[in-house]
């Protein structure tokens, strides 16, 4: 049995150190915030405990942990939240590393705390949010939504890379806070495993901690409806690369914050009612972001589009289908979709294999985008051989049915307050994707 111990949490000034022990070796994860970390606010103390429980993801590269032991008490509901997060959030990691897919990680607190007194949870009358900024199209659309709603927001950036800084500048809203994370030593230098970790789960907690430090009461993500769809089911376990962007996780972490930290805190995704393709369609309406954004996870640290991953393929496909002229201004007249590497990625978005392990839309969205291309610039992008390869996946598709399924706002659960949703859904550029 492998167990990891969180030894202590050490906040000093703007920095917090998390010391972990595995097999007599000490590993340190450090978070540095743009504001000083309070040592007197009980909400901060609780959120630091949560941060300690998610800042150890990288250590799963050393061993798959059966237990994580922590030096503080937790309620049964808190224990359940983090055990569920490890199980669902690391399902892809277990699958790719040939770890038993049903293997669970148990959280062992110093004691089981009593459950908090239940209180009615209603949306706050005045949200003062941080908006998550990943440097891509989603955050940009989220910013325009909040601006249109007249909501005073501040950007929250994890590892402030160039693309993320450009999005802030393009938005015209310079209010921003950030957090940086470093690991010492790096587990990757002597890893046993490697692969995807549920970063968005970390960001939800880091951002809420930053919100409290900044005197704000909400964290807003821009995760789409598309994130709810799994990649595959293996031995009865649902594997979703985007689990921590899903509505299931959103509901869980929202309840965690409000029931165990402060009932006035609010976490939700403003992009939840929209498919990824709808977000892309709205994004094309805002030219100020077109030269700024970067929706490629593989090469974002290099500040470039890798042009060889499913996310590059999906985003370029979506923009090309909804606004061909915008695609030309971003990627040039020679559309990258026709390159051999990206064309292979494109086929994986529409063929019979499981949805790629990346932050992409559904296969139906990709098919609808290709159908839209076939009504316009398809012939200008692909060679004859490529069109022949695409043809079997596009025959017998009902364009109208696909579009009616995706381009609607009906029947999609979300945590946006009714008052905000009434105004948001009436915006002309939102109505554009609801026809």
């Amino acid at each position: 049995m492998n167990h990891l111990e969180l030894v202590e949490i050490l906040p000093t000034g703007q920095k917090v150190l998390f010391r972990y022990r595995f097999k007599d070796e000490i590993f340190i994860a450090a978070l540095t915030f743009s504001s000083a970390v309070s040592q007197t606010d009980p909400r901060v103390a609780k959120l630091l405990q949560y941060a300690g429980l998610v800042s150890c993801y990288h250590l799963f590269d050393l061993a798959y942990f059966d237990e994580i032991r922590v030096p503080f008490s937790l309620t049964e509901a808190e224990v359940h939240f983090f055990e569920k997060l490890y199980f669902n959030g690391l399902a892809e990691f277990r699958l790719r590393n040939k770890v038993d897919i049903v293997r669970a990680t148990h959280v062992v607190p110093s004691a089981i705390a009593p459950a908090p007194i239940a209180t009615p949870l209603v949306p706050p009358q005045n949200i003062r949010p941080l908006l998550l900024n990943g440097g891509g199209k989603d955050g940009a659309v989220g910013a325009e939504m909040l601006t249109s709603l007249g909501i005073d927001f501040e950007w929250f950036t994890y590892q402030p890379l160039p693309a993320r800084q450009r999005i802030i500048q393009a938005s015209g809203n310079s209010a921003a806070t950030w957090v940086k994370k470093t690991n010492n030593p790096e587990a990757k230098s002597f890893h046993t495993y490697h692969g995807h970790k549920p970063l968005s789960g970390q960001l939800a907690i880091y951002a809420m901690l930053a919100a409290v430090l900044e005197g704000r009461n909400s964290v807003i993500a821009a995760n789409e409806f598309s994130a709810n769809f799994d990649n595959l089911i293996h031995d009865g376990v649902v594997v979703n690369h985007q689990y921590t962007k899903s509505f299931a996780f959103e509901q869980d972490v929202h309840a965690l914050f409000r029931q165990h930290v402060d009932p006035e805190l609010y976490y939700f995704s403003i992009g939840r009612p929209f498919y990824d393709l709808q977000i892309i369609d709205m994004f094309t309406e805002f030219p100020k972001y077109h030269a700024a954004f970067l929706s490629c996870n593989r090469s974002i640290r290099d500040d470039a589009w890798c042009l060889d991953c499913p996310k590059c393929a999906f985003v370029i496909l979506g923009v090309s289908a909804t606004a061909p002229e915008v695609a030309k201004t971003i990627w040039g007249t020679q559309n990258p979709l026709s390159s051999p590497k990206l064309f292979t990625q494109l086929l994986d978005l529409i063929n019979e294999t499981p949805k790629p392990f990346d932050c992409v839309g559904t296969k139906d969205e990709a098919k609808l985008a290709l159908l839209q291309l076939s009504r316009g610039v398809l012939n200008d992008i692909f060679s004859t051989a490529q069109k022949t390869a695409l043809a079997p996946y596009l025959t017998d598709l009902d364009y109208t049915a696909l579009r009616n399924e995706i381009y609607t706002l009906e029947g999609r659960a979300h945590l946006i307050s009714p008052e905000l949703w009434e105004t948001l859904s009436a915006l002309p550029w939102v109505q554009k994707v609801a026809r």
Side-chain angles (χ1 to χ4, degrees), residues 254-283:
H254 174 92
L256 179 77
F257 292 144
R258 302 194 76 191
Q259 294 170 3
H260 294 274
V261 183
D262 183 344
E264 295 299 315
L265 298 181
Y266 210 74
Y267 176 92
F268 69 96
S269 172
I270 200 162
R272 182 64 62 203
F274 307 95
Y275 272 99
D276 205 347
L277 190 59
Q278 291 174 291
I279 295 286
I280 291 173
D281 204 337
M282 289 186 281
F283 175 77

Side-chain angles (χ1 to χ4, degrees), residues 311-429:
K311 190 166 184 178
C312 279
F314 186 84
V315 173
I316 296 171
L317 171 63
V319 175
S320 300
T322 57
E325 293 306 311
V326 172
K328 289 180 182 178
T329 65
I330 298 172
W331 295 287
T333 54
Q334 182 63 44
N335 194 299
L337 288 174
S338 63
S339 69
K341 288 183 178 179
L342 205 55
F343 186 75
T344 299
Q345 301 289 351
L346 174 63
L347 288 177
D348 284 341
L349 294 174
I350 59 172
N351 62 21
E352 298 86 356
T353 61
K355 185 176 72 168
F357 288 113
D358 209 335
C359 298
V360 296
T362 64
K363 296 224 166 187
D364 279 351
E365 289 175 82
K367 290 174 182 178
L368 175 61
L370 273 171
L371 285 173
Q372 289 180 191
L373 274 182
S374 70
R375 296 178 165 215
V377 297
L378 187 92
N379 291 333
D380 300 331
I381 296 176
F382 299 111
S383 68
T384 300
Q386 288 174 328
K387 285 184 284 187
T388 300
L390 291 171
Y393 303 108
L394 301 180
T395 55
D396 300 324
L397 290 178
D398 187 331
Y399 174 84
T400 301
L402 275 177
R403 187 166 178 85
N404 288 342
E405 173 195 345
I406 291 167
Y407 274 72
T408 182
L409 302 179
E410 300 298 325
R412 298 176 191 165
H414 56 78
L415 296 179
I416 304 170
S417 71
E419 296 78 14
L420 287 182
W421 179 240
E422 182 179 5
T423 305
L424 177 61
S425 60
L427 294 173
W429 48 275

Side-chain angles (χ1 to χ4, degrees), residues 6-263:
L6 172 57
V7 179
E8 59 184 341
I9 301 172
L10 301 170
T12 306
Q14 295 172 245
K15 198 166 189 175
V16 184
L17 300 182
F18 303 92
R19 296 181 71 246
Y20 302 94
R21 180 186 291 117
F22 174 57
K23 291 185 176 178
D24 297 324
E25 184 85 21
I26 293 295
F27 298 87
I28 297 174
L31 295 180
T32 303
F33 290 86
S34 53
S35 298
V37 179
S38 168
Q39 297 188 47
T40 58
D41 188 333
R43 299 174 303 169
V44 171
K46 174 55 71 175
L47 288 165
L48 285 176
Q49 293 177 358
Y50 295 168
L53 280 159
V54 297
S55 293
C56 59
Y57 286 160
H58 65 291
L59 296 176
F60 278 81
D61 288 343
L62 302 174
Y64 200 87
F65 300 114
D66 302 284
E67 288 185 351
I68 296 180
R69 301 172 184 174
V70 297
F72 43 79
S73 63
L74 295 168
T75 67
E76 290 183 352
E78 290 172 306
V79 169
H80 176 72
F81 170 86
F82 286 101
E83 290 184 345
K84 182 178 179 182
L85 172 58
Y86 294 131
F87 187 78
N88 292 328
L90 291 169
E92 177 188 337
F93 183 85
R94 294 194 300 278
L95 179 69
R96 287 177 173 269
N97 288 288
K98 297 181 171 55
V99 176
D100 187 351
I101 195 68
V102 298
R103 187 170 175 179
T105 297
H106 299 286
V107 175
V108 183
S110 61
I112 294 296
I117 298 173
T119 56
L121 299 181
V122 296
Q125 293 298 309
N126 178 30
I127 62 169
R128 303 182 307 281
L130 294 185
L131 175 64
L132 301 187
N133 171 28
K137 58 184 172 50
D138 306 331
V141 171
E144 293 306 307
M145 288 176 173
L146 295 181
T147 300
S148 296
L149 292 169
I151 294 175
D152 169 35
F153 73 91
E154 186 174 352
W155 290 99
F156 173 79
T157 303
Y158 174 74
Q159 314 288 46
L161 301 172
R164 294 165 186 169
Q165 297 297 93
R166 289 196 301 271
I167 289 292
I168 293 172
Q169 293 165 3
S171 74
N173 178 2
S174 61
T177 187
W178 47 262
V179 66
K180 300 176 183 177
K181 183 173 185 282
T182 55
N183 303 315
N184 182 32
E186 282 286 354
K188 289 182 179 179
S189 61
F190 43 96
H191 66 79
T192 301
Y193 303 122
H194 65 278
H196 171 70
K197 319 293 194 308
L199 175 62
S200 295
Q202 286 181 321
L203 298 188
I205 290 168
Y206 296 166
M208 190 58 80
L209 177 53
V212 171
L213 297 176
E214 295 291 324
R216 293 182 175 267
N217 65 355
S218 308
V219 169
I220 296 179
N223 301 322
E224 313 95 339
F225 183 71
S226 305
N228 296 338
F229 294 85
D230 59 75
N231 298 84
L232 54 87
I233 298 176
H234 183 80
D235 289 348
V237 175
V238 174
V239 181
N240 182 358
H241 177 85
Q242 299 188 85
Y243 167 70
T244 52
K245 290 185 175 182
S246 71
F247 187 57
F249 175 78
E250 180 182 336
Q251 289 177 294
D252 287 348
V253 76
H254 174 92
L256 179 77
F257 292 144
R258 302 194 76 191
Q259 294 170 3
H260 294 274
V261 183
D262 183 344

